[in-house]
Amino acid sequence: MLENIKIVLVNTSHTGNIGSTARAMKTMGLSHLVLVDPVSPPDGKSSALAAGAGDVLANATTVATLQEAVSDCGLVVGTSARSRTHSWPMLEPRECGVKLINEVNNYPVALVFGRENNGLTNEELQQCHFHVCIPANPDYSSLNLAAAVQTLCYEIRMAHLQTTTGAGVDAEVSEYPLNEDLERFYVHLEDTLTQTGFIVPNHPGMVMTKLRRLFNRARPEAQELNILRGILSSIDKKVPKVDD
C-alpha cells in the first residue's frame, strides 16, 4: 500500500533536503521519492543526511515536470499556505493522510512539496486535486522542507495503521480518473470553449483557472468525466471550426 504513495519534491535547491526527506520517509514506511527538476542531483551531502535511508535515495526517480511525475496518479495533494485570493479544496494534515490511504489501493497517489523559498507555483498547484496546509504557529510558520515531509508522512502512517483495525478509514472509494485524464479533459474543455467563442484567445482571463478550481472542488468520478467529455464532443460536432 505505502509503495504506491509518491512523495514529490519540486525544484529542490538544497541537496541536503533531499537526503533528509528520504530519511523522513523511511521512518514512516514510505519509499517512493520523485524529484522534479532538482537544482542539483543528490550528492554526498544527500547521502550523509539520508543516514540509513540510502535505499530510498538511490531509488529516487528524477523527472522534468510535475505533470510527468503525477500523470499516473488518481489523487494529487499539494502542500500550500492558505490563499485568500483563490480558494481551493483544502485538507487538514490528518484528513490528507486518511484520503491518501483511502485511495492508494486503486491507483498511485502523490503528495507534492514545493521549493524551499517559495513553494509551488500557481500552475503547479492547479495540477493538484487538493491542497494541504500544516497549521503551524502563525507567528513563526516557516517549516523546513524535511520537517514538513516528516509531519505529513506521520499522518499517512497513522491512517495506514488504522486500516489494520478498520477504524477511521472508509472501505468504499469511488473510481476517479487519473491526473493525465483530467489534463486531457482540461485541454478539450479549453479548445471547445475557444471554438464557441466563450474564451477569447487574445484575452483568456482567468476562465480556465476558475474552471479548474470548480472541477477539482467537484472532483468528478471517472464515469462522470467520460460524460463531460462526451458533452464536449457533441458540442464540437455542432460548432464550426475557427481558424487560428
Side-chain angles (χ1 to χ4, degrees), residues 175-217:
E175 182 182 351
Y176 292 105
L178 299 182
N179 199 67
E180 60 184 350
D181 297 321
L182 270 176
E183 288 302 318
R184 280 194 287 266
F185 165 68
Y186 290 133
V187 171
H188 191 175
L189 178 61
E190 184 172 9
D191 181 63
T192 299
L193 294 181
T194 300
Q195 293 297 330
T196 63
F198 187 82
I199 293 179
V200 180
N202 293 334
H203 303 283
M206 297 288 291
V207 173
M208 285 308 302
T209 297
K210 292 180 182 296
L211 287 174
R212 277 177 173 267
R213 285 166 50 202
L214 168 64
F215 285 109
N216 275 341
R217 186 166 63 245

Side-chain angles (χ1 to χ4, degrees), residues 108-121:
V109 299
L111 180 58
V112 184
F113 296 83
R115 301 156 187 81
E116 292 95 333
N117 56 346
N118 55 7
L120 296 167
T121 65

Side-chain angles (χ1 to χ4, degrees), residues 93-222:
R94 195 140 300 174
E95 292 177 299
C96 175
V98 170
K99 183 167 285 292
L100 289 167
I101 290 298
N102 274 349
E103 301 190 24
V104 70
N105 280 329
N106 296 336
Y107 32 62
V109 299
L111 180 58
V112 184
F113 296 83
R115 301 156 187 81
E116 292 95 333
N117 56 346
N118 55 7
L120 296 167
T121 65
N122 288 335
E123 290 76 14
E124 290 161 348
L125 286 169
Q126 287 176 21
Q127 296 182 53
C128 304
H129 301 102
F130 296 90
H131 297 173
V132 60
C133 178
I134 298 173
N137 176 6
D139 295 326
Y140 187 70
S141 58
S142 178
L143 272 174
N144 173 268
L145 174 59
V149 173
Q150 186 78 79
T151 299
L152 293 176
C153 285
Y154 169 81
E155 296 296 347
I156 292 171
R157 182 157 189 82
M158 291 302 98
H160 170 61
L161 293 176
Q162 285 180 333
T163 62
T164 60
T165 62
V169 178
D170 299 329
E172 188 173 330
V173 178
S174 300
E175 182 182 351
Y176 292 105
L178 299 182
N179 199 67
E180 60 184 350
D181 297 321
L182 270 176
E183 288 302 318
R184 280 194 287 266
F185 165 68
Y186 290 133
V187 171
H188 191 175
L189 178 61
E190 184 172 9
D191 181 63
T192 299
L193 294 181
T194 300
Q195 293 297 330
T196 63
F198 187 82
I199 293 179
V200 180
N202 293 334
H203 303 283
M206 297 288 291
V207 173
M208 285 308 302
T209 297
K210 292 180 182 296
L211 287 174
R212 277 177 173 267
R213 285 166 50 202
L214 168 64
F215 285 109
N216 275 341
R217 186 166 63 245
R219 205 176 175 208
E221 298 174 6

Side-chain angles (χ1 to χ4, degrees), residues 59-74:
N59 292 322
T61 304
T62 301
V63 297
T65 65
L66 177 59
Q67 185 172 352
E68 185 179 352
V70 301
S71 62
D72 64 337
C73 295

